């Protein structure tokens, strides 16, 4: 049973254009994300899924278009306004992007140190809470990333992305490299955190199991724009070769069967 999102638009992308030299990646991308939903973004290699996310969070400057987050123009902000907006979202990059020279607890404290002036005892308490929140034991706190399994590093990275109690969570291929059981457990964690924390979640993924299990809607990037956005049943009826091959291929049928949609 999917979560019912509100009609409030929390992210709006209109006419987005991105290019790298002569290579045009996006040419008129439009997308709206509603508060409270988990939206998946899929597309073939080179369609600019990560570029879209990086544009929204300010790591990529588009050559044209509009982006608003929380109703604010994300492309025309003062440094102070941009900093305040960044405080309201968390990002989990594909590799986890943890600092190798810091412990898990110290990694979680990095954004806290950036935005707040807190005493060490309180930061230790917050880090311990975030570690528990993502399903890691207290023994994970003093460990370094190199001492963790791939699944534990993902959870540690997720804990850091939640350090500032964000409203919005960006996940870039969160289950990549995980075994099927670990991936399913991570999906369930994301779904439960959405419910308990009231998050809006933007997921870039190629994992069909994730799309079926937790996404309310899925946006398909192809031909340099968002081809369509809809629920899985709606996408199954969408007449486009890539969409049909992706969702009705062997892996798509297996994911559908696993979720009882066969």
């Amino acid at each position: 049973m999917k979560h019912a999102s509100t009609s409030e638009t929390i992210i709006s992308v209109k006419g987005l254009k991105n290019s790298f030299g002569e290579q045009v990646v996006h040419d008129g991308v439009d997308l709206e994300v509603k508060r409270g939903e988990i939206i998946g973004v899929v597309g073939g290699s080179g369609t600019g899924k990560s570029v879209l996310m990086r544009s929204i969070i300010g790591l990529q400057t588009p050559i044209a278009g509009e982006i608003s987050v929380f109703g604010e123009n994300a492309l025309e902000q003062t440094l102070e306004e941009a900093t305040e907006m960044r405080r309201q979202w968390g990002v989990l990059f594909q590799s986890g992007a943890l600092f190798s020279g810091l412990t898990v607890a110290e990694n979680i404290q990095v954004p806290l140190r950036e935005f707040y002036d807190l005493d060490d005892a309180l930061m230790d308490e917050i880090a311990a809470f975030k570690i528990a929140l993502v399903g890691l034991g207290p023994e994970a706190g003093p460990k370094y990333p190199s001492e963790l399994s791939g699944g534990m590093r993902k959870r540690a990275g997720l804990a850091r992305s939640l350090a500032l109690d964000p409203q919005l969570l960006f996940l870039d291929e969160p289950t990549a490299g995980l075994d099927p059981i670990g991936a399913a457990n991570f999906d369930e964690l994301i779904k439960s955190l959405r419910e308990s924390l009231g998050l809006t979640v933007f997921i870039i993924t190629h994992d069909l199991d994730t799309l079926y299990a937790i996404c309310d809607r899925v946006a398909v990037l192809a031909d340099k724009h968002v081809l369509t956005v809809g629920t899985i049943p709606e996408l199954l009826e969408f007449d486009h070769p890539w969409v049909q091959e992706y969702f009705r291929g062997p892996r798509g049928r297996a994911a559908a069967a696993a979720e009882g949609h066969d």
Side-chain angles (χ1 to χ4, degrees):
M1 187 69 170
K2 296 296 193 297
H3 176 83
S5 62
T6 71
S7 59
E8 179 189 355
T9 298
I10 196 169
I11 300 172
S12 175
V13 178
K14 295 180 180 178
L16 189 71
K17 294 187 178 182
N18 276 300
S19 66
F20 299 95
E22 296 296 313
Q23 181 189 5
V24 177
V25 179
H26 299 142
D27 190 9
V29 167
D30 298 317
L31 180 65
E32 287 191 349
V33 179
K34 304 298 184 182
R35 182 178 292 277
E37 76 173 332
I38 299 179
I39 187 166
V41 177
V42 302
S45 179
T47 54
K49 301 181 293 295
S50 294
V51 175
L52 173 58
M53 186 187 89
R54 290 169 63 87
S55 297
I56 296 170
I57 64 177
L59 296 180
Q60 168 73 25
T61 303
I63 58 175
E66 303 173 11
I67 299 173
S68 68
V69 185
F70 308 118
E72 302 290 333
N73 188 329
L75 299 179
E76 296 181 2
Q77 291 185 309
T78 65
L79 179 59
E80 184 177 335
E81 290 169 339
T83 300
E84 176 57 26
M85 183 176 284
R86 277 197 299 119
R87 194 183 64 78
Q88 299 180 70
W89 66 54
V91 184
L92 175 61
F93 293 101
Q94 184 172 341
S95 64
L98 295 167
F99 295 107
S100 60
L102 300 180
T103 65
V104 169
E106 289 168 344
N107 265 282
I108 295 169
Q109 291 168 359
V110 168
L112 295 171
R113 292 183 187 279
E114 180 181 358
F115 287 96
Y116 300 110
D117 182 18
L118 305 175
D119 62 60
D120 289 345
L122 180 55
M123 284 202 295
D124 288 343
E125 189 175 328
I126 293 172
F129 173 71
K130 302 301 179 182
I131 287 168
L133 190 65
V134 300
L136 292 175
E139 69 280 358
K143 290 186 176 180
Y144 290 91
S146 61
E147 300 176 284
L148 304 177
S149 67
M152 291 176 72
R153 279 196 298 275
K154 296 269 190 183
R155 288 176 184 252
L158 180 62
R160 188 178 65 184
S161 74
L162 296 172
L164 299 175
D165 299 325
Q167 300 180 50
L168 180 56
L169 188 61
F170 293 91
L171 308 174
D172 189 359
E173 298 284 5
T175 58
L178 300 181
D179 63 74
I181 294 174
N185 289 339
F186 198 91
D187 285 343
E188 285 302 312
L189 173 61
I190 295 302
K191 188 162 63 173
S192 68
L193 288 173
R194 186 266 296 269
E195 299 296 335
S196 61
L197 302 179
L199 296 169
T200 302
V201 186
F202 180 106
I203 302 181
I204 295 170
T205 185
H206 67 275
D207 192 328
L208 281 153
D209 291 328
T210 296
L211 297 175
Y212 271 94
I214 68 172
C215 290
D216 299 295
R217 295 190 303 149
V218 178
V220 180
L221 271 176
D223 305 328
K224 302 178 184 176
H225 64 280
V226 173
L227 202 61
T228 185
V229 186
T231 62
I232 297 286
E234 289 169 343
L235 295 183
L236 288 170
E237 299 304 316
F238 188 76
D239 186 17
H240 185 276
W242 189 90
V243 176
Q244 288 297 311
E245 182 180 357
Y246 188 76
F247 286 99
R248 292 191 180 276
R251 294 181 68 183
R253 292 197 300 271
E259 287 298 310
H261 295 291
D262 55 338

